[in-house]
Amino acid sequence: MSCPYEHGADDVPDIPFPDAFRFDPGPRWAHLRDEAPLTRVRTPAGDVVWLVTRYDDVRTVLTDPRFSRAGTVAPGAPRVAVSSPLPGTLPTTDPPEHTRLRRLVSAAFAYRRVETYRPWIRELAGQLADGLAADGSPADLRAALALPLPIRVICRLLGVPYEDRDRFREWTELAYSMVPAEADRVHAAMAALTDYLAGLVAAKRADPGDDILSELAADPAGLSPGELTAFGLNLLVAGHETSANQITGFVAALLRDPALWDRLVAEPALVGTAVEELLRHTRLSETGQLRVAVKDVPLAGGTVRAGDGVMAAIAAANRDPRAFDRPDEIVLDREPGRHLAFGVGPHFCLGAHLARVELQEALTALTSRYPGLRLAVPADDLRWRRVLVSGVDALPVRW
């Protein structure tokens, strides 16, 4: 197999690629899937790792125990972004330690429990959608709904004071930085966020409330204070940034082709499958999920050596024509179930159903109230946030 970028450091391309941060993936992604499904890239942190782009290979990296998440926090391990992942957490452990941690927290995000939150999330989404009209047309949908909805949800569930949102918003945005020159600010922000969560966990232990952190803190056989702090930090960061970018990106993708929006307005029963299709189609990352090989592994026609970093490009896998018919089209009634947006295997996203509820209720609130919603600027003029978990920076809409 030809791997055109593996021969020398000067030949290794930087990821994100130069044509990143836009609606459509650049042609390099299709070329890699077809011609070099295992190739070398240099991460924003300066480390050279393997990149896999085909659906089956990405699934293998995410599910095969020979590819380790714990290895990504070992001394000298390759990194993707500026911030270093926290060791000993759900995202950075392997079974059996990961199994222990997941068992302790999984009940908090179980399907039935999340569904009990749906009426409140529906009401909140409706209130925020109504507030969009109060701001007048045009308005920024990201600022008015896409960002405050998941922030309010994760604050209520974790027991984080909503009035602290401006503080942790600044810290969490820096956590996704891909700019090495911001390293000092990133590390300071992560330290401040860790201290903030540690203080909150201590307060929950002393005076429990009706929230997930208090519930977990009260379990004498549960997470240690450090583990609970890390759990809260990961949820606070991922729990609102990801959903905010998805809501914004989903609406932008639908309004880019107004016929899609109009169909969803006319057929509200499609919201569920539309969310799954938009999860597949909309890219949140221009890089991928990192693993470290613990053994030599044949992969994608080549061999990954023990100790090598491997980046699984979920966004590329979700557009692989080997797995999806018409992969670059948004098919609102596509049969759901195969996309990898929430990962797969042991590290399947703990909050996947919560995210689905937020996305479904946001789209329902908007399509029912704004049947004539349209972009207020040309789609090509929308600006993208150039960070690890990306999305449209602002979404001006009119009605």
Side-chain angles (χ1 to χ4, degrees):
M1 182 200 71
S2 173
C3 293
Y5 305 121
E6 69 176 313
H7 304 296
D10 292 341
D11 299 323
V12 178
D14 292 332
I15 193 169
F17 300 136
D19 56 2
F21 303 108
R22 61 183 195 179
F23 277 107
D24 300 314
R28 187 190 292 253
W29 289 103
H31 169 78
L32 291 176
R33 280 194 304 260
D34 291 341
E35 304 296 334
L38 178 69
T39 193
R40 294 281 200 178
V41 293
R42 183 180 289 102
T43 73
D47 294 315
V48 175
V49 300
W50 293 106
L51 177 73
V52 292
T53 47
R54 289 181 180 173
Y55 182 90
D56 287 345
D57 297 327
V58 168
R59 281 190 64 98
T60 296
V61 172
L62 297 180
T63 59
D64 192 316
R66 293 175 295 178
F67 296 102
S68 168
R69 280 294 292 173
T72 64
V73 292
R79 291 184 294 115
V80 176
V82 177
S83 61
S84 300
L86 293 173
T89 67
L90 270 177
T92 57
T93 51
D94 298 323
E97 178 63 6
H98 177 269
T99 308
R100 178 187 73 85
L101 293 172
R102 184 125 184 167
R103 184 173 60 249
L104 291 171
V105 301
S106 59
F109 290 90
Y111 180 93
R112 289 184 180 180
R113 181 165 182 175
V114 170
E115 282 297 319
T116 67
Y117 306 138
R118 186 186 287 271
W120 170 68
I121 294 174
R122 177 180 298 136
E123 180 181 5
L124 177 58
Q127 291 172 353
L128 292 170
D130 290 339
L132 186 70
D135 292 338
S137 177
D140 179 7
L141 189 141
R142 177 179 171 84
L145 185 146
L147 193 56
L149 176 64
I151 288 181
R152 290 191 185 185
V153 170
I154 204 63
C155 281
R156 173 169 168 175
L157 267 57
L158 288 182
V160 176
Y162 183 65
E163 56 269 24
D164 289 347
R165 63 191 180 279
D166 290 337
R167 296 172 64 195
F168 66 71
R169 273 288 298 154
E170 180 180 358
W171 298 330
T172 56
E173 285 187 355
L174 279 168
Y176 288 122
S177 173
M178 293 192 295
V179 182
E182 292 186 333
D184 289 344
R185 294 181 63 217
V186 170
H187 298 321
M190 289 300 292
L193 189 55
T194 301
D195 289 345
Y196 173 80
L197 264 299
L200 191 62
V201 166
K204 300 294 183 185
R205 288 182 177 272
D207 184 20
D210 182 20
D211 55 73
I212 290 173
L213 286 182
S214 294
E215 179 182 318
L216 294 173
D219 182 358
L223 300 174
S224 69
E227 290 171 339
L228 188 52
T229 296
F231 173 74
L233 187 152
N234 286 325
L235 280 179
L236 186 60
V237 173
H240 76 271
E241 280 285 350
T242 303
S243 292
N245 288 330
Q246 286 173 324
I247 294 169
T248 311
F250 286 13
V251 175
L254 292 169
L255 296 182
R256 188 186 182 201
D257 180 357
L260 293 171
W261 182 265
D262 294 345
R263 184 179 179 193
L264 204 55
V265 168
E267 301 179 60
L270 283 178
V271 164
T273 55
V275 163
E276 299 306 310
E277 174 68 346
L278 290 163
L279 283 164
R280 181 196 69 81
H281 188 271
T282 305
R283 304 191 321 284
L284 272 181
S285 175
E286 297 286 354
T287 56
Q289 288 197 12
L290 187 65
R291 302 288 192 273
V292 172
V294 296
K295 297 180 179 179
D296 292 356
V297 184
L299 183 69
T303 300
V304 174
R305 302 297 180 187
D308 286 353
V310 185
M311 184 184 292
I314 288 176
N318 279 339
R319 298 285 192 102
D320 188 349
R322 297 160 189 81
F324 302 99
D325 182 45
R326 296 180 291 161
D328 293 324
E329 295 182 32
I330 297 174
V331 182
L332 294 179
D333 54 0
R334 188 189 298 270
E335 183 69 24
R338 287 178 51 81
H339 71 74
L340 303 177
F342 292 124
V344 66
H347 288 276
F348 181 81
C349 177
L350 181 68
H353 190 58
L354 177 63
R356 284 185 165 110
V357 170
E358 291 176 344
L359 295 165
Q360 292 164 5
E361 295 304 332
L363 285 184
T364 296
L366 289 167
T367 52
S368 62
R369 288 166 171 79
Y370 302 97
L373 195 71
R374 294 293 185 264
L375 292 175
V377 298
D380 290 342
D381 289 349
L382 294 172
R383 300 185 309 275
W384 294 79
R385 304 173 67 241
R386 304 182 71 86
V387 291
L388 190 62
V389 178
S390 183
V392 176
D393 184 58
L395 187 60
V397 294
R398 58 178 175 80
W399 55 91

